[in-house]
Amino acid sequence: MTNLRKLDLNLLKAFVVLLDECNVSRAAHRLSITQPAMSGILNRLRESFNDPLFVRVQHGMQPTDRAIELGKIARQILTDINSMLQPPILEPENLAMTLRIGATDYVQAIIAVQLILKLRRLAPNVQVALLPVQGQNIKTLFEQNKIDLALVSQNNLTPDMHQQKLFDERYICAMSKAHPMANKKLTTETFCELPFAMFSYNGGEFSGATDIALQKLGLKRKVMVSLNNILLLPSLLQESDLVAVLPERLAKTLSNVHLQTPPIEIDGFTMLMSWHERTHHDIAHAWVRELVKGLICE
């Protein structure tokens, strides 16, 4: 039986050239080696395959039946290896994959939906799963192969993870266009007197970044409603006197609301895109990451 460790790719390449030429001298010329070296390669091939491979005839050499069969296999092997070594070519329209994106409701609303719409146009065979990750360890989700891409704030990642900054976010006030304060400048005093609806990712929370900022000033606001379903916010704001302090990009997706700068400094946050080493060099995933970055610039 042939020992695979003794059969290198150069032998296979020489074997295919010999099959093409059926002449040691011409094969040696094509490979830019001497005739004795070519003869030595032929002897090694005969030993490896335990077959004469070529027999002398009046005008050169003729391959044996065994050589012809081996030649078919050798050509396919060389073709496959050449394909492996060629840079992969991405054709989005033919791309078929499942993309699992871990993101909060906020990111799903401002980035993920737009990404899906773009993928539907450019790569219609790509399946997309939007997965909630609030309160979960992003690194663990990657390690357990539960997500391919994460769109989260900086607090959810560690420095050793693949990541790229998407944008810095700030907070803004949102209220009904018919709200009494919609056309008036908010002061710190009036701000604290307003009834607030607060978006709580975990649900049931009545304190967030705005309240931390107020505490530094020795102040407090009135949070009257806490909800974790972002779809409820537009109706609440449009049909009541409630006000919300929201990430600006999210607030701009809400219909029929008035936006106004808060009268206090509220610490914002940075949104990042993160991925696992598993997909770091994959051209399809790299292409998706470029799409995400492009959406931020649009």
Side-chain angles (χ1 to χ4, degrees):
M1 185 176 180
T2 301
N3 189 332
L4 292 176
R5 287 177 295 181
K6 296 180 180 178
L7 187 65
D8 61 33
L9 294 179
N10 288 326
L11 278 180
L12 284 183
K13 182 178 179 181
F15 176 43
V16 169
V17 172
L18 275 167
L19 283 169
D20 289 342
E21 300 294 342
C22 286
N23 182 287
V24 172
S25 296
R26 290 199 300 268
H29 179 73
R30 275 184 57 181
L31 295 171
S32 299
I33 61 176
T34 64
Q35 183 173 333
M38 191 73 242
S39 296
I41 290 175
L42 177 54
N43 288 332
R44 288 176 62 190
L45 286 165
R46 283 168 169 165
E47 180 182 348
S48 296
F49 292 121
N50 192 28
D51 187 89
L53 300 177
F54 297 91
V55 295
R56 290 191 177 279
V57 293
Q58 186 175 0
H59 300 290
M61 301 187 305
Q62 179 176 311
T64 64
D65 290 345
R66 169 79 167 149
I68 293 173
E69 290 302 316
L70 289 172
K72 296 176 183 177
I73 299 172
R75 292 180 196 277
Q76 186 61 54
I77 290 173
L78 292 173
T79 297
D80 290 344
I81 291 174
N82 184 60
S83 297
M84 289 173 61
L85 297 177
Q86 292 298 316
I89 299 174
L90 180 68
E91 297 179 336
E93 64 275 12
N94 297 323
L95 182 61
M97 62 184 287
T98 298
L99 179 66
R100 300 162 299 172
I101 303 174
T104 61
D105 286 352
Y106 156 65
V107 181
Q108 290 182 20
I110 65 170
I111 300 178
V113 170
Q114 294 303 312
L115 175 61
I116 291 172
L117 294 176
K118 178 151 285 193
L119 285 172
R120 292 305 305 152
R121 294 194 299 271
L122 302 178
N125 295 317
V126 172
Q127 292 181 306
V128 181
L130 296 181
L131 305 173
V133 293
Q134 188 65 29
Q136 301 186 62
N137 187 299
I138 302 298
K139 191 172 186 177
T140 299
L141 292 176
F142 276 132
E143 291 173 349
Q144 294 177 348
N145 197 20
K146 291 183 177 179
I147 59 174
D148 303 305
L149 192 67
L151 305 174
V152 293
S153 66
Q154 75 272 23
N155 297 329
N156 294 278
L157 304 178
T158 54
D160 60 320
M161 299 171 69
H162 288 294
Q163 55 190 273
Q164 183 165 17
K165 178 181 174 179
L166 294 177
F167 56 84
D168 292 318
E169 181 64 290
R170 72 185 188 107
Y171 286 98
I172 194 165
C173 289
M175 64 189 76
S176 167
K177 290 183 177 181
H179 196 284
M181 296 302 299
N183 297 309
K184 297 179 182 180
K185 183 178 180 179
L186 285 175
T187 65
T188 302
E189 183 179 357
T190 55
F191 182 82
C192 292
E193 291 300 318
L194 293 172
F196 282 88
M198 175 178 159
F199 180 65
S200 166
Y201 287 116
N202 298 318
E205 296 171 333
F206 288 85
S207 179
T210 302
D211 303 280
I212 293 173
L214 286 170
Q215 287 173 10
K216 293 178 181 178
L217 301 174
L219 300 172
K220 187 177 181 181
R221 65 172 176 164
K222 297 189 294 183
V223 179
M224 308 308 296
V225 178
S226 174
L227 66 156
N228 68 349
N229 188 337
I230 198 170
L231 297 178
L232 300 178
L233 264 179
S235 295
L236 283 176
L237 296 180
Q238 292 167 19
E239 300 179 27
S240 75
D241 61 345
L242 290 169
V243 177
V245 178
L246 302 170
E248 185 174 22
R249 288 174 183 257
L250 172 62
K252 287 181 176 179
T253 67
L254 304 182
S255 59
N256 198 33
V257 295
H258 173 75
L259 303 181
Q260 191 171 157
T261 302
I264 59 172
E265 290 290 333
I266 304 172
D267 289 340
F269 56 92
T270 300
M271 287 303 304
L272 303 170
M273 172 171 58
S274 180
W275 59 95
H276 193 263
E277 177 65 25
R278 178 178 60 254
T279 60
H280 184 58
H281 298 288
D282 185 280
I283 61 167
H285 285 273
W287 177 73
V288 169
R289 294 194 294 269
E290 287 299 318
L291 285 185
V292 173
K293 289 191 293 181
L295 288 172
I296 303 304
C297 297
E298 289 181 355

